[in-house]
Amino acid sequence: MDHMRNWLLATIATPLIGAVLLCALGNLGRNVARWLALAVTVVTLILAGVVVVNFPADGANADQYAVTDVAWLSAQSGLDIHFSIGLDGLGVFLFGLSALLMFTSVLVSWEAIQDRAPLFYTMLLALEFGCLGVFAARDIMLFYIFFEFTLIPLFFLIGIWGSEDRRYAAIKFFIFTFAGSVLTFLGLLAIVLWHAQQNGLNYLTFSIPELTASLQQAPLPFVWQYWIFLALFAGFAIKVPLFPLHTWLPLAHTQAPTAGSVILAGILLKIGTYGFARFSIPMLPAATVHFMPWILGLSVAGIIYGALVALAQKDIKRLVAYSSVSHLGYSMLGMFALNSIGFMGGTLQMINHGLSTGGLFAIVGMIYERYHTREIASFGGLAWRLPILSFFMLVLTLSSIGLPGLNGFAGEILVLLGMFQRAFAESPPQWLAPLQVLSVLAVSGVVLGAWYMLYLIQRVFFSELREPSQQHADHRPVTDMNLREIAAVLPLVVFCVWIGLAPDSLRQRMEPTLLKITAATEQPLADRYTEETEITASALGATEEEKLSRVR
Amino acid sequence: MNLTEIVQHLEADTWLSFWHILPEVVLLCTILLMLVLRVFDATRKIDPFFVALLGALAALVLGAPWQHIGDQRLEIFTGMLVYDGFTVFMRAILLMFMVLFIIFTKLSGIPDREDSADIYALFLGSTVGMCLMASANHLLVVFLAVEMASVPSYALAGLLKRRRKGSEAALKYAVYGAGAAGVMLYGLSLLAGLTNSAHLPTIALQLTERLPAYGTSEVMVLAVAGLLIGVGLAFKLSAVPFHFWAPDVFEGASAEVGAFLSVASKAAALALLVRVCIGVGFGSPSFANAAAEPTAAVAADPGELLTTHPVALVDPADESDAAAAPGVTASPSDSASEQHPLSGTRDFIAKLVALMAAVTCTFGNLTAYGQTNVKRLLAYSTIAHAGYMMMPIPALMAMAEIKPAGAREAVAGLGLYMAVYLFMNLGAFAVVAFLRNAMRSEQLADYAGLIKRCPGVVICFGIILFGLIGLPPLSGFIGKFAIFASLVDGYFATGQSYLLVLLVIGGLNTVLGLFYYLNVVKVMSMDPEPADRLPFAFPLVSLPGMFLLAITLPTLGLMLGWNGLNELCQAAARYLLT
């Protein structure tokens, strides 16, 4: 397995090399740029495929997989920063997903991007480099560098190639995300420094596995966990985005070019949930347990709010954007149920959402390319005109609303199972009622999700054929999906079906890593449980006594 | 000791010292050479640019930073100057900047044939003053060096002849500078009078011995002296509330002078701040042991002034109040009996600088957003960065005794920040200057849609601006990281909550800064081109373009050399405290 590290390094380096190459060959025009970009993403995809396929099938020793660890700053200088990458069960599929969605992104931009194409593909490849790096980083500093690095290309992708309101959207996106991530960084810094101080190290270590292990041995004091959790929450919750911090997302999605939306929904939002799973939960378990009911509440609020707002949208892309808010709510719900089933579901849901929503955005982009509008009311019966496109749209929709047999079902059922287990079987008496209400409300999201998506399908693809009048100057006769477009979406659909039919192949690979993460919260949960039970018991006892005295 | 012995001793000392200030001597010789060359017909044709460049290069090489960066502390010229790793480091920064800067001025064409000798003489003369600022060990040198650095700057601000704004800027700068210098001189004389010495380590020693015995009035005088000296330093740093000259001068003077003031002048002022803070707060190692006797009345120190108003740290409005009311001192504390006699002084300095840093940083970032002139915007950005760069000093003072390693880290962090800041800000001003030459405008509105006209320049400027935000993987991040890390470290080591407040303010400011830097990027890359812009060309494949690339490269790539840079800075700070 040792040679896998080279494959991993090559996977991450390829897009960067491609971006530099594209930048240097900038004057060669659109055609060269897009073919080169395609070649780079295909190579990256193949390399990433090899890395993912070779991941140990039982997930054992996952944290040793494909690890490269080179000292960047030496410990003598006080900062022990490593260039350390590797994949474990949490990151491996998100890593693969990133490579896959980039391939889709290049293909959907093929015709759509006319203006300054070389720069566009440079940005796209730079973004791919950042995304791949984030999920592979094993050092906090490296993670943060990749994390922030993803902002710059997307800022330009939205701001230069977006729709009318793109500048405002780009700035809002950047400021929201960056503002949160500064706090996140200060929080991570506090963890690092506390660890060094506590262990009497004369250097700061940034290694994620080392910090995780050490913080589980000797947890931070609760006050510190509390504040650091809030600091991390600021960055990750904005990124997810968790209700009520989601306001930047619909705007960014609607204004971004199709490729930008695909990547934003498919990959970048996952960095938020990934951050919670990688840092907040294992490193700050006590605070996680403390905040658990609140985050569950916010997740459910997001699920329902996103769904209701999606129902009212007039623009297809906005509708899909709000559905993201709702779906990511599920992911958070599952993770913060803090049991193994829910956590598995939440993680699976991250991948599912990337596949289905990424695909949906790609298809919405294809519709927009054909008709230059995304207004739901101006469409009808597109299935007559565009049967293949409608087929893919329908499959992705069904996957997104969780039809059994497709990937969405596997994720959602696990999330809900986890949540119900937390609410009905594992919760202290005081939380019982609110959590049960939340879990029931969460189910309503499934219904709402089916409603808004199927309502969309019914209006746009079925009923009578109605097409927008084509007053656009360069209009061409509307044709169905061509091979390029099919190639962009087909892999996503294949994976949707595969995960739907054989979710176990993913579960086995992820489980050991995920179990380790949830194990961290077991002790604080148990503490909390007994504490709450005692309080309730003593409260009950007191009332009993009162009653008795009253009787006397 | 008779006269002969003294003279002999002095001679030996001077001779020894002379070898340690070779770079300064070389700079002075260069200035003389440039002025003399003009006298003779035969040599008049020599371009002073080459003389200046060679002089600066020779000075840089003779300083041999690669060899001397870890040098032991050494007092030279009978204690007037101090020579250690930090001196070497700062001198290297200043001279490296000078070399790049001289090339830059040549490319941007600001000094014309006629007056270039004068201009380079002024720049180099100012640099000599700055080098002295970085090695000052005596109140007299502090004052002389500040003046030596400032007076040429006044003239440089009015460099563009027949421009009203330039003359106005020069006059404002000169008057304001003279005022600040006078106030500072008063503070220096108070301090010297109170301690019977002007030699910084001796002052520290005297304070250690006498502070416990001081009554309220002496402590008050001491506090006033500290505040007055602070005024002079704050003026050089353009720290709020003594920043008013900066935007006007930056707007009125040419972008080249702006670059000089915002990089070299700031670096020197910070070095001087470090020297004064350490000098007064620590004393030199030879004195360190003498000052160990436990005393009781330490707490009767102006440091208390700020502890009783913790709000002042976050509220910009309180700055003037705190500065104006040093009379509220002397609240006796009980727990201070075991502290180092100087800890009160350190506390005072730390809180004063922390307050100033917080206010300066916030003010600079908030005001920059509304600017329409790019140079003015960069002026406020400079002010904000001065605020960031002041932040490690409170951490340094707080950790001095408890965690000397952390204190050294703080200074190293400051050095790191200066090193990366040099390239970023010089680059930013270079872009402004070259664009001014190309399109005759410095208004932000005229930068709209530049990406269509000259994409290379926009990419370079974009990288620099993202670097100034502090976004990884650009080098600005290293500096910010070092500074924030030293603040967190200081907080964990000492538990002083003002360090935490400062850290949060620094973090928030990073976000505030985002608004205007990002706005410039947006204007250049996304806004439509103004219809009335005259066509112009600024290809990257030209000398200015190449310079721009070269100056952007460190911002892009210094992250890879993080380790080396870090070690360099730590070597520079190694003997600062011991």
Side-chain angles (χ1 to χ4, degrees):
Chain A
M1 278 300 121
D2 202 37
H3 59 277
M4 284 324 292
R5 48 186 281 191
N6 298 331
W7 288 84
L8 181 64
L9 276 174
T11 319
I12 296 178
T14 310
L16 184 66
I17 296 167
V20 172
L21 213 62
L22 259 175
C23 200
L25 301 176
N27 300 328
L28 290 184
R30 187 162 74 107
N31 230 357
V32 176
R34 59 191 188 181
W35 278 107
L36 185 60
L38 184 65
V40 171
T41 44
V42 168
V43 170
T44 316
L45 183 57
I46 293 170
L47 291 171
V50 171
V51 175
V52 174
V53 166
N54 275 298
F55 193 76
D58 53 355
N61 286 331
D63 45 346
Q64 300 303 325
Y65 181 66
V67 169
T68 306
D69 196 312
V70 184
W72 186 3
L73 266 74
S74 59
Q76 289 99 348
S77 66
L79 298 169
D80 188 22
I81 299 176
H82 287 240
F83 178 84
S84 174
I85 54 172
L87 290 170
D88 64 0
L90 184 62
V92 63
F93 291 108
L94 290 168
F95 184 83
L97 179 71
S98 308
L100 181 64
L101 284 177
M102 281 298 165
F103 169 71
T104 304
S105 305
V106 171
L107 285 182
V108 296
S109 313
W110 202 258
E111 296 292 338
I113 301 304
Q114 306 278 350
D115 178 35
R116 278 175 281 168
L119 193 59
F120 178 87
Y121 291 108
T122 308
M123 292 293 171
L124 214 55
L125 291 180
L127 191 55
E128 176 165 26
F129 169 67
C131 292
L132 293 176
V134 161
F135 295 121
R138 293 173 87 247
D139 186 285
I140 287 184
M141 192 57 79
L142 203 61
F143 170 82
Y144 185 69
I145 289 169
F146 281 122
F147 180 75
E148 296 289 39
F149 184 73
T150 57
L151 298 185
I152 303 178
L154 194 62
F155 171 71
F156 287 110
L157 286 180
I158 297 177
I160 299 182
W161 292 277
S163 333
E164 319 77 51
D165 227 0
R166 57 181 183 271
R167 282 169 232 146
Y168 176 62
I171 297 249
K172 191 171 179 182
F173 153 76
F174 198 104
I175 287 173
F176 254 78
T177 333
F178 186 74
S181 70
V182 168
L183 284 176
T184 302
F185 182 65
L186 294 183
L188 292 174
L189 196 56
I191 294 182
V192 167
L193 276 153
W194 193 88
H195 172 259
Q197 207 117 57
Q198 212 56 27
N199 295 311
L201 305 176
N202 53 1
Y203 58 86
L204 307 177
T205 175
F206 286 80
S207 154
I208 295 175
E210 196 181 327
L211 283 170
T212 314
S214 143
L215 286 175
Q216 282 170 9
Q217 292 290 316
L220 285 156
F222 181 72
V223 191
W224 278 103
Q225 290 205 20
Y226 186 92
W227 289 108
I228 294 176
F229 186 91
L230 285 180
L232 298 193
F233 180 82
F236 295 144
I238 287 176
K239 198 91 190 171
V240 169
L242 206 57
F243 177 84
L245 300 170
H246 65 277
T247 54
W248 62 272
L249 179 75
L251 187 70
H253 263 318
T254 354
Q255 302 304 325
T258 305
S261 295
V262 172
I263 297 162
L264 184 58
I267 308 166
L268 294 179
L269 303 188
K270 308 304 175 305
I271 300 178
T273 42
Y274 176 82
F276 276 115
R278 179 67 78 206
F279 300 104
S280 301
I281 297 177
M283 289 187 185
L284 311 162
T288 305
V289 171
H290 177 83
F291 283 108
M292 177 185 89
W294 301 102
I295 292 186
L296 291 178
L298 286 179
S299 310
V300 172
I303 292 175
I304 294 176
Y305 174 85
L308 289 177
V309 178
L311 203 50
Q313 292 308 313
K314 296 193 170 69
D315 180 308
I316 309 178
K317 208 172 180 186
R318 269 187 99 80
L319 189 149
V320 181
Y322 274 106
S323 84
S324 280
V325 177
S326 185
H327 283 270
L328 264 297
Y330 275 111
S331 196
M332 289 294 287
L333 191 73
M335 287 192 334
F336 275 83
L338 298 183
N339 48 32
S340 56
I341 300 180
F343 204 90
M344 170 62 66
T347 320
L348 203 55
Q349 196 62 6
M350 285 191 223
I351 299 156
N352 293 340
H353 176 260
L355 289 171
S356 50
T357 309
L360 284 175
F361 272 120
I363 291 190
V364 173
M366 291 171 194
I367 296 177
Y368 183 77
E369 256 180 76
R370 286 173 170 70
Y371 293 105
H372 298 281
T373 178
R374 292 185 303 248
E375 206 185 339
I376 297 174
S378 55
F379 293 110
L382 287 190
W384 302 106
R385 175 76 72 188
L386 309 166
I388 305 178
L389 188 139
S390 307
F391 166 74
F392 280 115
M393 179 78 183
L394 193 63
V395 175
L396 288 168
T397 300
L398 293 177
S399 124
S400 153
I401 63 182
L403 186 83
L406 289 170
N407 60 345
F409 178 73
E412 266 177 21
I413 194 79
L414 285 176
V415 167
L416 290 173
L417 272 179
M419 181 63 198
F420 272 80
Q421 194 182 346
R422 167 65 52 221
F424 287 87
E426 294 175 344
S427 117
Q430 280 204 327
W431 297 354
L432 211 56
L435 287 189
Q436 285 173 357
V437 172
L438 283 182
S439 57
V440 174
L441 282 176
V443 178
S444 75
V446 178
V447 183
L448 286 171
W451 185 5
Y452 64 74
M453 284 312 293
L454 291 179
Y455 187 42
L456 171 77
I457 293 285
Q458 185 244 323
R459 281 179 292 174
V460 173
F461 291 94
F462 298 113
S463 73
E464 268 172 51
L465 177 64
R466 186 168 67 250
E467 287 173 291
S469 57
Q470 306 225 345
Q471 68 273 81
H472 202 272
D474 62 289
H475 84 90
R476 278 163 290 177
V478 172
T479 51
D480 206 352
M481 278 167 101
N482 55 28
L483 271 180
R484 164 183 65 83
E485 289 171 323
I486 294 175
V489 189
L490 189 64
L492 303 182
V493 173
V494 168
F495 278 104
C496 282
V497 177
W498 187 42
I499 296 179
L501 295 178
D504 213 43
S505 52
L506 268 71
R507 187 195 60 82
Q508 283 173 348
R509 288 172 168 79
M510 297 198 285
E511 193 147 48
T513 312
L514 302 190
L515 281 180
K516 242 190 247 170
I517 295 172
T518 38
T521 57
E522 261 163 28
Q523 189 53 39
L525 265 173
D527 292 349
R528 183 81 191 210
Y529 183 84
T530 45
E531 195 180 298
E532 300 269 342
T533 325
E534 272 162 23
I535 292 170
T536 327
S538 62
L540 280 176
T543 44
E544 292 289 306
E545 269 171 37
E546 251 173 50
K547 274 180 199 159
L548 278 178
S549 66
R550 226 176 275 156
V551 169
R552 275 187 214 123
Chain B
M1 205 190 286
N2 61 31
L3 191 65
T4 346
E5 270 179 57
I6 292 181
V7 169
Q8 270 170 2
H9 186 248
L10 201 64
E11 196 188 330
D13 180 67
T14 310
W15 188 238
L16 176 75
S17 308
F18 179 79
W19 295 110
H20 288 106
I21 60 155
L22 264 186
E24 283 93 337
V25 174
V26 170
L27 285 183
L28 289 173
C29 293
T30 315
I31 295 172
L32 287 179
L33 187 64
M34 272 192 299
L35 298 179
V36 170
L37 282 181
R38 235 181 359 181
V39 175
F40 305 106
D41 278 337
T43 52
R44 194 170 293 158
K45 293 222 173 69
I46 298 175
D47 192 341
F49 159 74
F50 293 108
V51 183
L53 185 63
L54 279 180
L57 267 176
L60 182 59
V61 173
L62 282 174
W66 51 89
Q67 195 180 341
H68 293 296
I69 192 87
D71 272 10
Q72 291 273 5
R73 183 189 160 89
L74 182 69
E75 291 202 348
I76 53 176
F77 288 114
T78 65
M80 297 299 261
L81 296 179
V82 60
Y83 175 87
D84 58 9
F86 192 63
T87 309
V88 176
F89 179 78
M90 284 315 300
R91 208 154 57 183
I93 290 247
L94 289 167
L95 292 173
M96 195 159 70
F97 172 76
M98 236 18 235
V99 170
L100 291 171
F101 179 74
I102 289 171
I103 300 173
F104 159 50
T105 50
K106 178 69 183 171
L107 292 176
S108 78
I110 248 327
D112 50 30
R113 196 82 197 167
E114 187 185 334
D115 57 10
S116 58
D118 300 329
I119 291 174
Y120 285 126
L122 288 171
F123 277 129
L124 290 180
S126 191
T127 310
V128 174
M130 290 169 184
C131 290
L132 290 179
M133 276 164 88
S135 48
N137 197 35
H138 193 278
L139 293 183
L140 265 180
V141 179
V142 169
F143 184 72
L144 283 177
V146 166
E147 285 308 289
M148 191 163 175
S150 299
V151 173
S153 320
Y154 303 151
L156 286 170
L159 185 69
L160 300 175
K161 279 159 276 183
R162 295 179 298 281
R163 250 192 78 180
R164 286 194 57 175
K165 274 215 157 151
S167 314
E168 186 191 325
L171 187 65
K172 260 186 197 159
Y173 194 18
V175 170
Y176 211 85
V183 171
M184 180 169 160
L185 191 55
Y186 188 45
L188 293 178
S189 61
L190 281 182
L191 186 59
L194 212 59
T195 55
N196 295 348
S197 172
H199 181 231
L200 284 172
T202 314
I203 291 179
L205 180 66
Q206 294 281 354
L207 281 178
T208 322
E209 281 171 3
R210 298 186 187 182
L211 214 83
Y214 276 167
T216 321
S217 56
E218 278 104 336
V219 170
M220 252 178 66
V221 172
L222 199 59
V224 170
L227 287 173
L228 295 182
I229 297 173
V231 170
L233 292 174
F235 164 76
K236 285 305 294 175
L237 278 168
S238 69
V240 178
F242 306 101
H243 66 282
F244 293 108
W245 60 273
D248 291 340
V249 170
F250 278 56
E251 188 186 355
S254 65
E256 290 80 357
V257 177
F260 184 72
L261 291 179
S262 93
V263 181
S265 185
K266 287 289 164 313
L270 280 158
L272 182 62
L273 186 64
V274 170
R275 286 278 180 225
V276 172
C277 288
I278 291 182
V280 175
F282 295 89
S284 79
S286 46
F287 299 107
N289 297 331
E293 5 162 355
T295 41
V298 194
D301 179 87
E304 292 298 316
L305 177 161
L306 287 169
T307 20
T308 49
H309 300 287
V311 206
L313 272 179
V314 277
D315 189 354
D318 276 10
E319 155 70 4
S320 52
D321 297 357
V328 223
T329 51
S331 61
S333 161
D334 38 17
S335 63
S337 50
E338 287 150 35
Q339 283 177 349
H340 188 277
L342 279 181
S343 65
T345 319
R346 286 177 201 157
D347 210 33
F348 176 63
I349 296 175
K351 282 171 181 156
L352 188 67
V353 177
L355 177 65
M356 242 182 214
V359 177
T360 304
C361 201
T362 315
F363 179 86
N365 278 327
L366 284 180
T367 324
Y369 186 64
Q371 303 306 321
T372 54
N373 181 300
V374 182
K375 276 194 301 189
R376 238 181 134 77
L377 185 143
L378 286 178
Y380 282 109
S381 136
T382 302
I383 293 176
H385 280 278
Y388 290 124
M389 286 191 265
M390 285 157 78
M391 285 181 183
I393 292 174
L396 155 75
M397 299 312 275
M399 282 191 284
E401 211 171 332
I402 304 159
K403 195 178 174 192
R408 279 194 292 274
E409 286 280 323
V411 180
L414 174 62
L416 203 59
Y417 201 114
M418 282 196 267
V420 296
Y421 174 77
L422 183 162
F423 293 106
M424 293 191 295
N425 241 31
L426 180 59
F429 278 100
V431 171
V432 174
F434 292 146
L435 281 178
R436 173 204 64 205
N437 289 348
M439 64 178 194
R440 303 274 143 217
S441 170
E442 286 165 347
Q443 293 300 315
L444 187 55
D446 289 324
Y447 280 34
L450 271 186
I451 195 158
K452 294 229 171 83
R453 192 72 52 175
C454 42
V457 177
V458 171
I459 290 174
C460 286
F461 200 22
I463 290 173
I464 289 167
L465 288 169
F466 278 119
L468 283 169
I469 292 174
L471 206 73
L474 302 172
S475 68
F477 172 73
I478 313 178
K480 284 237 166 72
F481 170 77
I483 282 178
F484 290 165
S486 75
L487 282 175
V488 181
D489 199 21
Y491 174 66
F492 277 125
T494 63
Q496 297 279 12
S497 53
Y498 65 89
L499 292 178
L500 195 64
V501 175
L502 198 58
L503 173 74
V504 173
I505 290 178
L508 288 179
N509 266 296
T510 309
V511 178
L512 288 182
L514 191 62
F515 283 84
Y516 62 91
Y517 290 127
L518 210 56
N519 186 42
V520 178
V521 177
K522 187 208 83 173
V523 166
M524 290 192 306
S525 64
M526 296 172 197
D527 281 0
E529 279 190 280
D532 56 345
R533 179 156 64 207
L534 296 172
F536 72 93
F538 182 13
L540 262 195
V541 191
S542 61
L543 278 180
M546 286 297 153
F547 179 79
L548 218 53
L549 275 183
I551 204 86
T552 316
L553 220 54
T555 304
L556 199 62
L558 267 184
M559 193 95 180
L560 295 174
W562 190 354
N563 195 27
L565 206 58
N566 202 22
E567 275 168 7
L568 217 61
C569 295
Q570 283 184 339
R574 192 172 302 146
Y575 297 108
L576 209 52
L577 299 176
T578 53

